[in-house]
Amino acid sequence: MPIYEYQASGPDKGCGKCGDRFEVIQRPSDKPLDHCPACGGRVTKLISWCRAAVAECSGVHGAVERRIQAYEKEGMWSHAAELADKHSEKVRDTDLKMRAIDDYAKAGYDAKTLDKHAKSNFGDND
C-alpha cells in the first residue's frame, strides 16, 4: 500500500504530529484524511517527492557482462578475468572486481598477487 504525507492546513497550526509532515499508509481507494488523528486539526494531503532509486545498465555494460559470462562458460578464465578487471576499473564496480579476482584464481594466478590486487582500490594502493 502507498504511503501518503499530510501536514496541518496552515502555518503555526497543528500539534506535534501534524505541525510537521506525517505519513499514513492508505489504499489508493481510501478517502484522504481531513483531520489529524492526534489533535483533530485540519490537515492537507501533500504531493510527495518520489525517492526511488532506479539502476539502469548501459548497453555497453550489458554487452561486457554477456562476454564475461561466455568466457566463463567456455572455461576461458583469464580472458573473463581480464575483461571483468578492466571494466570494473572503468565503472568502479567492486563486485565486478571481486569476480575478476575469482576468475584469475580459477585461471591459476598466484594467490599472493591476487591478495594484493584485491586490496587495491581502483588503482589507489592502500
Side-chain angles (χ1 to χ4, degrees):
M1 282 196 290
I3 298 174
Y4 294 98
E5 292 182 52
Y6 292 89
Q7 188 173 23
S9 292
D12 302 326
K13 294 185 179 179
C15 65
K17 179 173 180 134
C18 66
D20 294 322
R21 292 180 178 211
F22 68 97
E23 298 176 340
V24 177
I25 298 175
Q26 295 179 293
R27 288 183 180 86
S29 60
D30 289 347
K31 186 177 177 183
L33 296 181
D34 292 333
H35 296 85
C36 173
C39 71
R42 298 213 25 97
V43 294
T44 304
K45 186 175 176 181
L46 303 171
I47 297 174
S48 300
W49 290 97
C50 179
R51 294 180 181 97
V54 177
E56 293 186 20
C57 181
S58 72
V60 172
H61 184 70
V64 169
E65 177 64 31
R66 286 188 297 278
R67 191 67 196 140
I68 292 168
Q69 287 175 350
Y71 283 141
E72 290 171 340
K73 186 176 180 180
E74 295 169 19
M76 299 173 71
W77 303 112
S78 61
H79 286 63
E82 185 176 347
L83 183 56
D85 194 16
K86 285 182 180 179
H87 194 64
S88 73
E89 295 288 330
K90 184 176 181 182
V91 298
R92 302 185 77 72
D93 183 338
T94 55
D95 291 335
L96 191 56
K97 176 77 137 181
M98 296 310 296
R99 184 173 172 187
I101 291 168
D102 289 342
D103 287 344
Y104 278 129
K106 290 175 184 174
Y109 284 83
D110 182 16
K112 290 179 185 177
T113 305
L114 295 177
D115 186 46
K116 181 180 177 184
H117 188 68
K119 290 179 182 175
S120 73
N121 186 14
F122 296 108
D124 299 331
N125 290 328
D126 292 336

